Amino acid sequence: MSMTTRRTVLRSTVVAAATALCASISTLPARALDAQWCKDVHIRFFVGGAEGDAFGTIVYNGAKQAAADLGPKVDYIFSQWDVEKMVQQLREAVAVKPQGIAMMGHPGDAAIMPLAGQAHKDGIKMMYQNVPVPKVVEAFGGGYVGAQQEQQGRALGAEAFKLGKLKAGDKAIMIGPFENENRGARERGTVAALKEAGVEVIQLSSPPSGEWASDPNLAIPVITAALLNHPDVKAVGYPGGQMLGNVATYMQAAGRKPGDIFNFGFDTSPQIVEGFKGGWVQLTADQQPFLQGYLPILSLCQQVVLGLAPMNVDTGAGFVTPENYQVVSELAKQALR
């Protein structure tokens, strides 16, 4: 066979293969391009908090929007941020055998591991949101949508030190679930950053049952006592938007005025926007909970229908301050940011 003939045959083979490939590919995404392309998929979605919870409502709104856009049947699970309740609800979710489960990672690797193993055995696709469970994902797969806990916590501590004009020797209070291996990594990161800068940090452990997140007023006596016992505290850090949105109540109960203390924490909400307006809140780290609702459902639909790999998305978006809170205020009021 001559060189010219070989080239002609080769070109013909490549063209034929490419034509066949294009033809086969063109038939694959047809379902995905149809409206409600995920309508035959059943998903259980963990919202985290109670119905009406400041943070959980934004997560819920994201999940509801994904369900409306894509069409899956979604069961929404509310847990009052109680890790034991989450584990029991996950056990029940696995027993129901939906095609996908989007699970809050608050219970941690050890508690979730056996149930994730059963889900894997049953062919249930898993996504995790808000708190990463890296050991579970390594063992049984799944994706994660949320901020990286320790990384975001450290960044917040460094930003609080800078914007709060703290200096070595100053005192700060940090509240958080420090004993929780996975969930507490964020607040432990904040404490570490502050201590490395020379700040003396007083740690207040929040209840593992999530009571303070469900009802922030339950923390009033503890925070008030801490401020009375340490009147020279310059800054107070809070573990979530529920408590950060209640800062005015805490400060007034302790006899403090707006700006007396640099109050900082995580998340945005209508209450936090009002806190910025009133001068009670000075800094928060945004983790875009709407995405933590929307993207896990999108990813589960893609895994079940299209066979795609699970998503891994860091939703940590940066910081909200008195100088820029107006940018997110309207969306926060609509429980979308």
Side-chain angles (χ1 to χ4, degrees), residues 31-32 37-41 300-308:
R31 290 182 64 193
W37 57 270
C38 191
K39 62 182 174 61
D40 296 325
V41 176
L300 287 171
C301 284
Q302 290 176 337
Q303 291 177 64
V304 174
V305 178
L306 302 177
L308 297 182

Side-chain angles (χ1 to χ4, degrees), residues 157-171 194 197 199 234-235 262 264 282-283 323:
E159 194 74 4
F161 182 82
K162 180 177 70 175
L163 296 186
K165 298 179 180 178
L166 303 178
K167 58 184 184 298
D170 284 345
K171 285 185 181 180
L194 289 172
V199 176
K234 303 289 186 183
F262 186 89
F264 66 98
Q282 284 70 41
L283 171 67
E323 284 68 42

Side-chain angles (χ1 to χ4, degrees), residues 41 53 62 70 108 141 179 190 205 213 231 244 319 331:
V41 176
D53 172 86
L70 308 173
E179 292 78 18
T190 302
S205 293
L244 187 62
F319 301 108
L331 289 174

Side-chain angles (χ1 to χ4, degrees), residues 80-83 86 105-108 130-131 149-150 153 156 173-191 202-213 237-243 265-267 287:
Q80 290 77 44
W81 303 114
D82 185 329
V83 294
M86 285 184 189
H106 295 65
N130 197 246
V131 176
Q149 296 284 294
E150 182 179 6
L156 180 66
I173 291 173
M174 188 65 207
I175 306 164
F178 300 107
E179 292 78 18
N180 185 311
E181 179 185 0
N182 293 66
R183 171 61 186 83
R186 187 173 70 180
E187 286 72 21
R188 291 196 301 270
T190 302
V191 170
I202 299 134
Q203 296 181 218
L204 299 181
S205 293
S206 54
S209 59
E211 294 172 5
W212 290 0
Y238 303 84
Q242 302 90 343
M243 294 185 71
F266 301 89
D267 309 330
Q287 56 176 329

